[in-house]
Amino acid sequence: AKKKTYTLTIVREKSDDATLSKFEVTNLNGVAYTMTPAFSPSVSTVTYQVVIPGDQDRVMLEYAGSTSLADGVTQTIVYTETPDESTNIYNIPTGSSRTIGVRVTAENGTSERTYNVKVSRTKRQNALLDSLTYTYNGGTAQNIDLESCIFADNEYTCDIGQLASTGASGITFGATAADDQATISGDVSTPLQIKTGRNSYKITVTAEDGVTKQDYNITLLKKPSEEAKLTSLGVKESTGLSPSFSSTTTEYTTTMN
């Protein structure tokens, strides 16, 4: 009997799938930030938006290829901008934004999608002090323990104690902000008077965002003088005092002319 062999060649077209299954921006611990709009594999014509807090200066851009690819099918995925660190870490300057993304090329070499996300970093809101000092009459600086300051009504009150009546007449405060972009104003860096009784001073820290503020109130009590002595005593048109005046003598006699 005669036989014939038939050969069937099946050619599979190369995949045109250039979608991603995951596209997200995370912090360095891998926690994803909210993306607007929410990521959709089929949407690559918009620039997604992510806002990160001012105290975060770096992000990671994470992605994953399509989950619909057949065995053996691959995609070519590259970052549109070279990461600043490691394989996927980008620096975001404070108070600014940066657009980063990935480009996906399908197996067929012609189908492409580019996914972009604009990462905006807010300005920092840290309005705390790192250190606070004071000096009496230009003397040696003394530290104020910030942890001992009392926080109430959204402000700190730091009591630095009491001065004797004969104590210093002037005080100067020095302060350093916890954030180098914050500004310090108020009763700082300039010699201030110490009066008898309760003295109140205020230092204000304004965060980089220009809105967040923190007040530090500093109190100092200078005791009133207990000195009740005269430095001189005389009677006009008299023969003088007997005995002669002394600040420790309280009784005298005199004869009027």
Side-chain angles (χ1 to χ4, degrees):
K2 292 182 178 181
K3 293 183 179 180
K4 287 188 177 181
T5 300
Y6 294 86
T7 300
L8 178 62
T9 301
I10 300 175
V11 178
R12 179 184 63 80
E13 290 186 354
K14 290 186 176 182
S15 171
D16 63 355
D17 187 347
T19 63
L20 293 177
S21 61
K22 181 177 80 170
F23 182 63
E24 63 184 18
V25 176
T26 75
N27 63 20
L28 298 189
N29 292 322
V31 179
Y33 293 107
T34 300
M35 184 175 283
T36 305
F39 172 68
S40 172
S42 61
V43 178
S44 60
T45 56
V46 302
T47 297
Y48 293 96
Q49 305 284 330
V50 164
V51 177
I52 67 173
D55 59 1
Q56 299 293 314
D57 60 355
R58 293 175 294 170
V59 299
M60 295 193 298
L61 182 58
E62 303 278 6
Y63 67 83
S66 173
T67 57
S68 301
L69 301 177
D71 290 345
V73 176
T74 60
Q75 297 169 309
T76 301
I77 305 176
V78 297
Y79 291 105
T80 56
E81 185 176 344
T82 303
D84 298 313
E85 301 177 41
S86 185
T87 57
N88 64 340
I89 297 177
Y90 291 89
N91 299 324
I92 310 298
T94 181
S96 66
S97 61
R98 184 177 182 182
T99 299
I100 54 180
V102 296
R103 182 170 56 254
V104 186
T105 303
E107 183 190 36
N108 63 13
T110 56
S111 299
E112 280 190 354
R113 284 180 182 266
T114 299
Y115 296 85
N116 289 314
V117 56
K118 182 180 180 180
V119 183
S120 300
R121 178 182 170 189
T122 62
K123 290 187 176 181
R124 295 194 287 269
Q125 298 175 314
N126 188 341
L128 296 176
L129 285 179
D130 183 62
S131 66
L132 181 60
T133 64
Y134 65 96
T135 60
Y136 289 130
N137 292 342
T140 303
Q142 303 180 61
N143 290 318
I144 297 176
D145 182 7
L146 293 174
E147 292 186 0
S148 68
C149 299
I150 299 173
F151 183 76
D153 299 327
N154 201 37
E155 60 185 19
Y156 287 93
T157 299
C158 310
D159 188 348
I160 58 176
Q162 298 182 358
L163 272 179
S165 61
T166 57
S169 59
I171 190 170
T172 304
F173 294 101
T176 303
D179 185 343
D180 61 6
Q181 295 300 312
T183 57
I184 300 173
S185 59
D187 297 327
V188 63
S189 302
T190 301
L192 304 167
Q193 181 183 9
I194 301 175
K195 64 180 186 295
T196 299
R198 182 180 176 84
N199 293 266
S200 297
Y201 310 97
K202 178 179 284 189
I203 294 174
T204 300
V205 185
T206 303
E208 182 191 29
D209 66 1
V211 177
T212 306
K213 296 185 178 183
Q214 185 63 69
D215 290 332
Y216 288 80
N217 297 306
I218 307 160
T219 60
L220 170 66
L221 179 64
K222 186 173 185 179
K223 294 181 179 180
S225 173
E226 297 178 354
E227 183 67 58
K229 295 179 180 179
L230 293 177
T231 58
S232 65
L233 179 64
V235 180
K236 290 183 177 180
E237 299 180 0
S238 71
T239 59
L241 299 179
S242 178
S244 298
F245 174 76
S246 170
S247 62
T248 58
T249 303
T250 59
E251 293 185 8
Y252 302 89
T253 60
T254 187
T255 301
M256 302 303 295
N257 293 330

